[in-house]
Amino acid sequence: MFTLVGVTSAALEDYMQYLIWRPVLRHDFLAPILIVESKHPGHLLAFVPREAGGNWLLIYRLDGSVSETMLDNLTADAKHREDLLNRYDGAEWFAQWRLR
């Protein structure tokens, strides 16, 4: 499956660069989530909206191969983490997973 490695904030420019230059695995307009392959083998990146503007960039380590079921599960996980990051105590959650 997959494991969350960390999270960081990303600007719209970062989102567009990854959309253009990395292989897109899922681009969901209904739940605005972009999932792309990382340049590091075995890792995926998920962009989810940030209430303060821009996006959250979630980094996942992939255990196995990419499948439609795995992408569905990753999308659901990213949506859940988006909700955690954008709620009133999201700063505390972000501090636990932030990439340094």
Side-chain angles (χ1 to χ4, degrees), residues 2-28:
F2 53 84
T3 307
L4 180 70
V5 174
V7 62
T8 189
S9 58
L12 179 60
E13 295 81 19
D14 299 322
Y15 178 93
M16 293 307 295
Q17 285 290 338
Y18 280 95
L19 179 65
I20 294 168
W21 295 108
R22 300 301 314 156
V24 173
L25 299 174
R26 165 105 16 120
H27 194 197
D28 191 342

Side-chain angles (χ1 to χ4, degrees), residues 34-52:
L34 170 67
I35 300 174
V36 298
E37 288 183 11
S38 172
K39 65 181 179 180
H40 302 289
H43 289 79
L44 301 178
L45 308 173
F47 287 86
V48 295
R50 185 177 176 194
E51 274 186 11

Side-chain angles (χ1 to χ4, degrees), residues 87-98:
R87 67 184 194 183
Y88 69 94
D89 62 346
E92 294 174 25
W93 194 89
F94 175 70
Q96 294 174 10
W97 289 97
R98 177 181 44 160

Side-chain angles (χ1 to χ4, degrees), residues 58-74:
L58 307 171
I59 297 100
Y60 291 94
R61 181 176 37 251
L62 180 63
D63 304 320
S65 62
V66 176
S67 68
E68 193 61 34
T69 303
M70 189 277 306
L71 285 174
D72 290 341
N73 292 339
L74 189 100

